[in-house]
Amino acid sequence: MKKYIISTEAAQHAMKLTQMGANVKQVSGKLCYVSFDLGYITLEYVYNINAKGKYFLERIKPYPLPIKAYDNEDDVIDIIEIDVEQFRNAANSSHVSEFITISNKLHETIKKFEDLFLYYNVPAEQISLLLKEVDEMNYTIMETKANSKRVYTKKEPETLK
């Protein structure tokens, strides 16, 4: 069995996450698995150092979502902290389970779309129809944002502007 040496800096990051309530597993010197049991929901993340030396962060539970690459591990920890805070806040919504269900269905839809694209020669009319449906969904999301009260203000949304 290979043994991995974890740097002092990585140990400090793991300690900060643990102090936030996380269970942290350093899988290797380049891969870290982080989970939070918030009682009503489990949040799980994985981050690793990619070939460009960036830290790539992905949330894997309650639904998979690649977040983005960051220059350093401190930025990853900061984003995880904000994300956990946002989910704790979202727990106050009586619709949190429905949002998670919708997110999981969207993820399944993306996987189906990829299979469609990779396995079938899709006619142009069908592509136009799919594009129209996606545009309608994005319109509905923006319309919903306009008709909803903002509840989290410590960070600006990255895609919903």
Side-chain angles (χ1 to χ4, degrees):
M1 175 185 239
K2 252 186 182 177
K3 288 189 177 181
Y4 294 97
I5 298 172
I6 298 174
S7 71
T8 304
E9 185 179 13
Q12 289 171 343
H13 289 117
M15 178 60 71
K16 182 174 181 182
L17 287 163
T18 302
Q19 289 171 341
M20 290 167 39
N23 179 9
V24 180
K25 293 180 183 158
Q26 193 83 30
V27 178
S28 72
K30 294 187 177 190
L31 179 68
C32 189
Y33 173 81
V34 181
S35 65
F36 291 85
D37 182 359
L38 303 181
Y40 50 87
I41 199 165
T42 299
L43 296 176
E44 294 179 2
Y45 305 87
V46 65
Y47 64 93
N48 64 302
I49 303 173
N50 66 21
K52 295 180 181 179
K54 302 279 186 181
Y55 289 82
F56 181 73
L57 174 63
E58 182 173 7
R59 183 188 320 115
I60 53 179
K61 271 190 177 179
Y63 49 86
L65 180 69
I67 298 178
K68 77 183 222 187
Y70 296 92
D71 290 331
N72 59 62
E73 200 169 10
D74 287 326
D75 291 341
V76 170
I77 306 303
D78 291 344
I79 291 301
I80 290 174
E81 186 172 26
I82 289 169
D83 203 53
V84 169
E85 187 175 274
Q86 288 175 315
F87 270 94
R88 282 190 174 125
N89 187 53
N92 296 324
S93 167
S94 58
H95 303 293
V96 68
S97 63
E98 290 96 331
F99 276 99
I100 291 170
T101 298
I102 291 168
S103 293
N104 284 322
K105 285 184 175 194
L106 287 170
H107 182 71
E108 281 299 314
T109 300
I110 289 168
K111 291 185 337 188
K112 287 177 186 176
F113 177 77
E114 182 177 47
D115 280 352
L116 181 68
F117 172 70
L118 295 175
Y119 290 91
Y120 297 90
N121 183 9
V122 179
E125 314 80 59
Q126 291 301 121
I127 291 172
S128 293
L129 180 63
L130 290 167
L131 186 56
K132 181 181 174 194
E133 293 289 331
V134 170
D135 287 343
E136 285 180 26
M137 177 176 274
N138 281 314
Y139 176 80
T140 301
I141 288 170
M142 295 309 289
E143 190 176 60
T144 303
K145 173 196 169 230
N147 294 314
S148 300
K149 180 184 174 198
R150 185 162 175 183
V151 295
Y152 190 85
T153 58
K154 289 185 181 178
K155 179 183 175 291
E156 291 300 314
E158 293 192 24
T159 58
L160 192 63
K161 298 181 185 212

